[in-house]
Amino acid sequence: MLAPGGAGHAGVLDRLAAHLAGHYRVVAMSSRVASATRADTIEEEQHPKVHAEDTLALIEKLFDEPPTVFAFSSGAITTLELLARHPEHVRLAVVHEPPVTVLLPDATRHRSAFEAVRAAARTDGPAAAARLMTAAMTTPGTDATPAKLHHPGDWLDGYADTQPEPPTPELLELFTRLADLQPLFLEHILVPFTTNELDLTALDAASPRLIPVAGIDSRGQLPYRAAAALATRLGQPLTELPGGHLGPVERPAQFAHALRALLEER
């Protein structure tokens, strides 16, 4: 099962799913927000616990046995909640850069930054808020890159000479439609998801089923640092995969190759 980030539209993972479909049965899910007929009718705060129950319902409907779940960004936060609450329904959870502030030593600063993004979205509009969010996500922290890194397969060989794949016309058209979901994400998803209080005790207990991963190109940024902190908490090396925070979307062929190598190891 694949779970996207942002407002949660499965279409951003179409190319990744296509590369995996020759080896696995693949389901890519959209969130209750992205699935809504009219996004502008959603005015309430969204919460990872509720989205996790949505994911559980879909798993129970579509799978005869617990699936492997790959998720990134906000989808990864949902997946952490799913694993903490319903570990028996997940075979393996690969969480790519869940930007959870509770894992970071400078959590208070990041919470304030995201609250400022939400306030800007409500007063100055989504464009101004998006600029603040980008700064909050990408401003480097002072954490050192983890000493123990893992690179599954051979994707790192020659990686420096590669570039992201150009978006297809279908993906560009989807990005245009997703712009309508951006205000909802900034006002009702960003803060409650990034400030979610994880059940770290439950995640410790489920650690054999949990693999934190991060994009090699986002080293030092908030989502990478959160993934690194989670790996350290679990006593694991941090697994790096191609690309940055949007590696699954921007480098689908490379990412699928590396993800398959990781899953085959396990």
Side-chain angles (χ1 to χ4, degrees):
M1 172 172 280
L2 307 180
H9 196 293
V12 300
L13 292 173
D14 280 352
R15 296 191 296 175
L16 179 65
H19 286 293
L20 294 172
H23 305 273
Y24 308 97
R25 179 184 175 217
V26 181
V27 174
M29 68 171 292
S30 287
S31 73
R32 61 172 48 210
V33 169
S35 302
T37 304
R38 288 182 55 84
D40 57 4
T41 65
I42 297 176
E43 298 180 350
E44 66 273 12
E45 293 284 88
Q46 301 296 304
H47 294 285
K49 291 180 176 62
V50 175
H51 285 236
E53 296 303 316
D54 290 343
T55 308
L56 174 65
L58 197 57
I59 288 174
E60 292 179 329
K61 178 74 172 178
L62 298 179
F63 292 89
D64 296 327
E65 59 185 36
T68 291
V69 180
F70 169 78
F72 75 96
S73 196
S74 60
I77 297 173
T78 296
T79 300
L80 289 174
E81 196 65 49
L82 172 68
L83 185 63
R85 295 165 68 85
H86 305 286
E88 70 281 4
H89 288 278
V90 180
R91 178 185 180 189
L92 186 67
V94 182
V95 292
H96 184 274
E97 298 197 1
V100 187
T101 56
V102 70
L103 296 169
L104 301 174
D106 48 355
T108 301
R109 176 173 68 86
H110 287 299
R111 289 183 182 216
S112 297
F114 288 134
E115 287 167 357
V117 171
R118 180 171 61 184
R122 292 172 176 172
T123 58
D124 303 326
R131 288 192 293 271
L132 289 177
M133 183 183 70
T134 298
M137 287 284 193
T138 61
T139 300
T142 57
D143 317 41
T145 301
K148 294 183 179 180
L149 296 174
H150 176 53
H151 303 101
D154 59 359
W155 69 266
L156 194 58
D157 297 340
Y159 174 76
D161 298 324
T162 67
Q163 296 293 328
E165 297 178 35
T168 61
E170 293 80 9
L171 188 57
L172 289 173
E173 193 275 333
L174 176 60
F175 286 158
T176 299
R177 288 189 281 125
L178 291 182
D180 294 337
L181 291 173
Q182 184 74 340
L184 192 155
F185 170 75
L186 294 169
E187 293 187 45
H188 299 302
I189 297 176
L190 178 66
V191 171
F193 272 65
T194 58
T195 62
N196 188 51
E197 295 291 335
L198 297 175
D199 186 341
L200 293 173
T201 301
L203 292 177
D204 285 339
S207 61
R209 305 179 192 217
L210 177 57
I211 305 178
V213 302
I216 193 171
D217 295 337
S218 55
R219 286 182 179 178
Q221 297 175 6
L222 184 156
Y224 183 104
R225 294 171 55 218
L230 181 58
T232 299
R233 165 84 188 207
L234 299 175
Q236 299 182 17
L238 178 64
T239 297
E240 287 189 325
L241 297 179
H245 191 56
L246 297 180
V249 179
E250 297 176 341
R251 294 177 177 262
Q254 284 181 317
F255 201 94
H257 178 73
L259 181 58
R260 279 181 51 211
L262 176 62
L263 296 181
E264 288 166 6
E265 290 177 350
R266 297 295 291 261

